[in-house]
Amino acid sequence: MTDPSPGRIALIDGHVDLASQRVVRGGRAHKLTTMEARLLAHLGANAGRDVPRAELLEKVWGYGPRAQTRAMDHTVARLRTKLEANPKDPRHLLTVHGVGYRFVPVAPGEPLAPGAHVAPVTPRESGLAGVPAPHLDRAEAASLLDALAQGDDPDLGRLAAEQDRLRAIHERFRQGDPALAARAVLALDPLYYARGPGHRHIELLTEAEAIAPSGALRASLLVARAEAWAALGDTGAAEGDIERAEEAAGADKDAAARALIARGNLRRRQARFDEASTLHERALAMAVDPDVRAAALRQLAGCDIEAGRFDAALERFRDLERRYRRAGRPRGLATVLGVMGNIHSELGELARAERCFRAAIELSQKVLDRRREGIAWSNLAVVMHERGLLGPAREVWERSLAIHREVVHRRFEGFAVGGIGVLLHEEGRVDEARLCATEALAIFREVGDLRFETIGRARLAVLGPTPEKIRADLSELSPANEGDAWAFRVLFGFAELADAAVARDRGDEALRAAAMGRARAACAVVPPGRATSFHRISARVLTAWISRAA
């Protein structure tokens, strides 16, 4: 129950003072942000009630009922780290699936009300907490972490196989050797980034960062959390973590270089490619570790790709290819060949792209790297789709999807499901395409990838049941960054096509003709050097639908 004094909410091991925006637990005080305090005040005033998300968006954030935002999820994730002894097993701020949230306050020492405790989940679902720790001594734990840290591109398959032991290391050593425990979380970071959901990933990193000693390890955890915030679209939180990572890095050049790379990646997401390139150049000049230097080179090439400087990107990746071949590093080489295939694909050089992807598949199979193999199969499916080989493309998509599900690579699972949906759309199987688009969008939302979520919403919108619905849904969207703008313009051609259908139904031939003209123009809006596979396939689908409408 709520403490009778105004503005105070009782917790199991402390209380919340809303007036001063503080949480006091276990003798420590945690400052609440204004939005956290507003959310908690509303939930506290409705303690024990299942409060719908729409109500919270309206009363706390002031958003309309149709708002699409992850702000609430981010705020709840942060609140749980301050309110709960174990944020993965909350006792106060509970999720009511399909509805919203419920707040359950209790007096200090008082047991929870019946039914208030969330249902227990398996260790694999709950993150790091509650995992039975097998007997692992410090030397064995350090040896495992050293083995997993080798290389600049982690093997998700191996991480998935070792995740129970990594969780056990975290639980066993968090008191006696917090640095070792934090390293276990950092080792799992790529797996949680790929699987999602984003808010859970952030909670795990927050828990590890709290116990990590200052220096390179803490800086690495903050960089990882910044990347997770960026994927959720929270640029402010990402900027804050990067600043803290730069401070924690101190004189460690490689840790400081990783922070620069993270800041450069953030600028890339904002389509500030020149600024991003400058940051990556600084990281390359600063880094000592070959893996950090390779990461900086990859990101520089990524800037070149998104800015349309494909020749420069290819030259950088050819340099990396030579380095990996000399060093005998097949996993890194498979990654580089895959990206080179993407560049050739963007340039429309489909035969070269296919050779790169097949070489990446062969290398991945040799080293038993199912994650990279699945990515390469997905990219090959895009090439085959663009070549018009719809049947073989479907087979390759299905093969890649099976691998993504096997290694639980959720982002690429969504990518493959969405790719199958685009293929079905081109075949005119709209109902099946809509099911695929809906499933892909749910995956992107689950893992918290804002960019792919936006593209997924656009793909679903063009499959709307009526022209009016297509136009309404597309009007609410805009590309996540400038790099997607041209491909998005093709999708908006479907809105013009929807306008033409509405005009036809109204008998307005002049309006219909104008809308059809705009739809046709949408197929050719990309300037030279910026066409992408996504654009070309979408344009082809749009062209086919224009022909049917005509």
Side-chain angles (χ1 to χ4, degrees), residues 214-421:
S214 186
L217 178 57
R218 176 169 287 176
S220 295
L221 288 163
L222 287 164
V223 164
R225 193 170 67 184
E227 295 283 4
W229 280 124
L232 288 171
D234 195 330
T235 302
E239 291 274 14
D241 274 349
I242 292 170
E243 288 178 6
R244 294 179 63 202
E246 290 170 337
E247 293 174 4
D252 189 304
K253 292 184 177 180
D254 289 318
R258 289 191 184 279
L260 283 173
I261 291 170
R263 192 179 293 281
N265 289 342
L266 200 59
R267 297 296 173 265
R268 275 182 64 189
R269 290 176 181 271
Q270 298 165 332
R272 293 156 63 177
F273 302 124
D274 290 340
E275 188 177 342
S277 294
T278 299
L279 289 164
H280 293 317
E281 291 279 10
R282 286 175 55 196
L284 182 61
M286 178 184 299
V288 177
D289 188 313
D291 285 338
V292 181
R293 291 177 59 81
L297 275 172
R298 286 204 307 272
Q299 298 307 326
L300 273 168
C303 290
D304 289 333
I305 292 171
E306 297 205 51
R309 300 187 291 263
F310 295 113
D311 290 341
L314 274 174
E315 189 54 41
R316 293 188 196 277
F317 276 108
R318 288 188 183 112
D319 180 32
L320 279 169
E321 179 188 4
R322 289 189 290 269
R323 294 182 186 211
Y324 283 132
R325 287 190 187 279
R326 286 196 301 267
R329 298 180 64 173
R331 284 195 176 91
L333 181 57
T335 299
V336 166
L337 287 171
V339 179
M340 289 174 68
N342 286 332
I343 296 172
H344 288 304
S345 178
E346 300 304 286
L347 292 171
E349 299 169 355
L350 301 184
R352 290 182 178 179
E354 182 171 345
R355 285 196 295 272
C356 285
F357 294 140
R358 290 194 181 278
I361 290 168
E362 184 178 354
L363 280 168
S364 300
Q365 291 173 337
K366 283 182 179 178
V367 297
L368 305 179
D369 193 327
R370 295 287 278 168
R371 170 181 173 265
R372 287 175 184 79
E373 182 187 349
I375 292 171
W377 280 117
S378 285
N379 288 327
L380 181 60
V382 174
V383 169
M384 298 181 80
H385 187 173
E386 186 170 354
R387 289 174 58 193
L389 304 174
L390 303 189
R394 176 65 181 270
E395 293 178 5
V396 175
W397 274 126
E398 294 286 1
R399 185 168 187 170
S400 73
L401 179 59
I403 295 175
H404 298 320
R405 285 175 171 163
E406 174 191 326
V407 301
V408 200
H409 198 176
R410 291 289 279 163
R411 276 179 175 79
F412 268 85
E413 180 183 346
F415 179 61
V417 171
I420 293 171

Side-chain angles (χ1 to χ4, degrees), residues 36-78:
E36 289 167 353
R38 289 178 62 183
L39 175 60
L40 195 52
H42 189 82
L43 289 171
N46 293 274
R49 181 170 76 86
D50 296 347
V51 184
R53 288 179 64 92
E55 178 181 325
L56 292 170
L57 286 172
E58 179 185 358
K59 301 295 185 183
V60 178
W61 277 269
Y63 292 160
R66 297 184 63 188
Q68 297 285 339
T69 176
R70 311 283 300 188
M72 187 186 310
D73 305 295
H74 302 163
T75 304
V76 168
R78 293 196 303 269

Side-chain angles (χ1 to χ4, degrees), residues 158-213:
R158 186 174 181 191
L159 284 178
E162 297 285 7
Q163 62 181 311
D164 288 340
R165 289 213 293 168
L166 289 169
R167 291 192 185 100
I169 291 170
H170 176 267
E171 287 298 298
R172 183 178 182 85
F173 295 105
R174 58 186 304 168
Q175 297 295 329
D177 193 339
L180 200 64
R183 282 183 63 195
V185 177
L186 191 60
L188 280 167
D189 171 65
L191 189 65
Y192 283 107
Y193 186 86
R195 289 183 172 186
H199 69 272
R200 181 179 298 168
H201 179 206
I202 287 168
E203 287 176 357
L204 295 171
L205 291 168
T206 300
E207 182 180 349
E209 189 265 333
I211 64 172

